[in-house]
């Protein structure tokens, strides 16, 4: 079993090959050089509509799997599109299912906004509000904008732009550093002194 800090990658898009998935798959690719392990959550489409009546044991299996994935992770990284000025309904539904558990409470969390300049602020604002409500520890320095256009994506579906890859690596390092500073956490190989401009 890896002793590296584990970062859970959550995409807010259901579209295959979306820019948001591209960002997170690239983060997964640069993870080893950042001294972290990553896990890409792909169960968004399988989550039932949130119903408080079902938010008790036994949980729906897909919800139990989501919460277990969050519990296993040392930190969480989100990349989501903006629909109609806010989070996509399916991703808000995922977050709603985290409210009744304690898995995300105090866990370092951040997001990457991959939208073009001037877009995506509504999704960011809602994400900040909901993550704050769940008790997640938002790592401000790791919440960044990395605009991605199709010209930056190679045949393998990963970002080829070296500056974008460097910034994603720095985000992972910041999350790993934040997770290492949690009470009871082991010191991780990733440093916590990375500086990153939004």
């Amino acid at each position: 079993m890896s002793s590296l800090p584990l970062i859970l990658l959550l995409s807010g898009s259901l579209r295959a090959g979306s820019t948001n998935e591209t960002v997170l798959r690239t983060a997964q690719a640069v993870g080893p050089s950042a001294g972290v392990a990553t896990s890409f959550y792909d169960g968004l489409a399988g989550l039932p509509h949130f119903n408080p009546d079902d938010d008790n044991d036994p949980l729906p299996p897909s919800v139990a799997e989501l919460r277990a994935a969050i519990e296993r992770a040392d930190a969480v990284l989100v990349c989501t599109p903006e629909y109609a000025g806010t989070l996509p309904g399916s991703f808000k539904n995922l977050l709603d299912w985290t409210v009744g558990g304690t898995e995300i409470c105090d866990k370092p969390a951040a997001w990457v906004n991959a939208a073009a300049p001037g877009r995506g602020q509504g999704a960011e604002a809602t994400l900040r509000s909901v993550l704050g409500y769940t008790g997640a520890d938002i790592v401000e320095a790791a919440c960044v904008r990395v605009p991605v256009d199709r010209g930056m994506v190679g045949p393998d579906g990963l970002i080829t732009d070296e500056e974008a890859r460097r910034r994603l690596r720095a985000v992972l390092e910041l999350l790993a550093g934040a997770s290492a500073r949690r009470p009871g956490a082991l010191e991780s190989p990733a440093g916590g002194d990375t500086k990153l401009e939004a």
Side-chain angles (χ1 to χ4, degrees), residues 9-180:
L9 307 174
L10 296 177
S11 173
S13 176
L14 288 171
R15 184 167 61 85
S18 71
T19 299
N20 306 279
E21 180 177 343
T22 295
V23 166
L24 295 178
R25 293 295 186 189
T26 304
Q28 198 166 36
V30 303
S33 65
V36 305
T38 55
S39 175
F40 189 94
Y41 176 75
D42 60 4
L44 179 62
L47 291 170
H49 295 300
F50 176 71
N51 182 341
D53 290 339
D54 296 330
D55 194 2
N56 50 59
D57 291 327
L59 290 167
S62 58
V63 175
E65 290 168 10
L66 167 66
R67 290 190 181 175
I70 296 171
E71 178 67 28
R72 285 191 300 271
D74 295 296
V76 175
L77 179 61
V78 173
C79 189
T80 181
E82 178 178 283
Y83 290 162
T86 188
L87 293 174
S90 55
F91 193 64
K92 176 59 166 57
N93 184 60
L94 179 153
L95 294 174
D96 286 345
W97 278 116
T98 72
V99 172
T102 59
E103 296 82 6
I104 203 168
C105 187
D106 295 325
K107 189 151 292 189
W111 57 82
V112 175
N113 182 343
R119 302 183 65 183
Q121 292 96 328
E124 283 191 47
T126 306
L127 190 55
R128 179 182 298 281
S129 176
V130 177
L131 286 177
Y133 188 85
T134 65
D137 177 18
I138 298 174
V139 181
E140 295 293 345
C143 297
V144 300
R145 178 181 291 275
V146 182
V148 176
D149 62 56
R150 287 298 167 186
M152 297 167 61
V153 182
D156 59 358
L158 301 179
I159 297 169
T160 58
D161 182 80
E162 284 303 321
E163 176 60 15
R165 292 171 72 94
R166 181 196 69 78
R167 299 189 76 211
L168 292 175
R169 188 180 303 113
V171 165
L172 296 175
E173 290 171 350
L174 285 163
L175 284 171
S179 71

